[in-house]
Amino acid sequence: MPEKGLKELYIDELKDLYNAENQLLKALPKMAKAATSEDLSAGFEEHLEQTKGHVQRLDEIFKQLGESPKGKKCKGMEGLIEEGSEAIDEYDGELLDAALIGAAQRVEHYEMAGYGTVIAFAEELGKSDHVELLNQTLEEEKQTDAKLTDLAGDINAQANQEEESAEAVEADASDPGKHAAAKSNKKPRSAA
Ligand SMILES: [Fe+2]
């Protein structure tokens, strides 16, 4: 194995993030399109614009380093995005929104961990310009995560109501005799 130092590891991690951000650039429009809630959809659109800026900041850092940003596939992001698209296949309405928020928050936390790592490396390597750029991105990832938590409050409540009303419809539509029997079963038990 060729001898590598912290700088090589730093560049490797930056490449991983660069690939992760670019995968997310492709996924966010699909998530925005799939979301039922207008606020959630707008949130994904807004984060798409921010993500373009994250790629630009990484481009700037690679330029300063005289390195190519390409050459790594972020398998972690690939898996997280795949889980998000599974949610799109499996759920509808508010439940889908709740699932999309879960997927998006996993993405944000994954990115926050990645940026935390490269910021620590940049600090150790004395790259204060990089630290500043990477911190700006880290802050935006944190804000996005907080916004998703806010949106989840209402959306989870709606998803729960939707489920309750769906259950009520299901119960009415099911065999009314069985429904009545279930009710009548209750009486002698409570009487006993
Ligand atoms: Fe990002």
Side-chain angles (χ1 to χ4, degrees):
M1 201 180 273
E3 217 170 286
K4 287 182 175 180
L6 187 65
K7 190 180 172 197
E8 283 70 32
L9 177 58
Y10 174 54
I11 292 167
D12 242 28
E13 294 277 353
L14 287 171
K15 285 185 179 189
D16 194 78
L17 276 169
Y18 186 84
N19 180 265
E21 295 283 18
N22 276 291
Q23 287 188 49
L24 195 56
L25 273 185
K26 285 192 197 146
L28 280 166
K30 291 176 197 162
M31 293 167 82
K33 202 177 158 204
T36 307
S37 151
E38 272 180 33
D39 287 344
L40 182 59
S41 184
F44 287 145
E45 294 283 0
E46 191 188 334
H47 196 56
L48 173 63
E49 292 312 308
Q50 283 182 328
T51 300
K52 289 176 188 169
H54 300 174
V55 172
Q56 278 173 6
R57 285 186 192 123
L58 290 171
D59 266 326
E60 175 63 34
I61 288 171
F62 279 107
K63 218 181 274 173
Q64 285 185 22
L65 289 165
E67 296 280 341
S68 162
K70 301 207 170 130
K72 264 213 125 182
K73 175 108 184 181
C74 180
K75 296 189 195 93
M77 183 61 85
E78 195 178 31
L80 291 172
I81 289 173
E82 203 180 310
E83 286 187 359
S85 45
E86 276 173 21
I88 295 173
D89 291 340
E90 286 170 23
Y91 295 100
D92 285 313
E94 276 88 6
L95 270 180
L96 169 59
D97 286 351
L100 283 173
I101 289 174
Q105 286 196 289
R106 281 185 174 85
V107 165
E108 290 314 309
H109 281 254
Y110 184 78
E111 289 192 295
M112 279 152 57
Y115 279 101
T117 299
V118 288
I119 287 166
F121 290 164
E123 279 169 349
E124 182 58 37
L125 293 164
K127 306 271 184 201
S128 52
D129 292 2
H130 299 191
V131 171
E132 201 179 307
L133 286 167
L134 295 166
N135 255 320
Q136 287 171 23
T137 297
L138 177 60
E139 279 313 304
E140 287 175 1
E141 309 291 16
K142 284 183 186 171
Q143 285 164 10
T144 300
D145 179 55
K147 263 186 223 163
L148 288 165
T149 297
D150 269 359
L151 285 171
D154 282 346
I155 286 172
N156 290 348
Q158 282 164 12
N160 194 28
Q161 274 176 8
E162 194 180 63
E163 191 183 23
E164 278 169 6
S165 55
E167 274 170 10
V169 168
E170 225 168 79
D172 284 347
S174 71
D175 186 0
K178 194 177 158 194
H179 202 55
K183 264 184 192 164
S184 63
N185 270 349
K186 229 179 178 183
K187 271 183 189 164
R189 214 183 293 151
S190 58

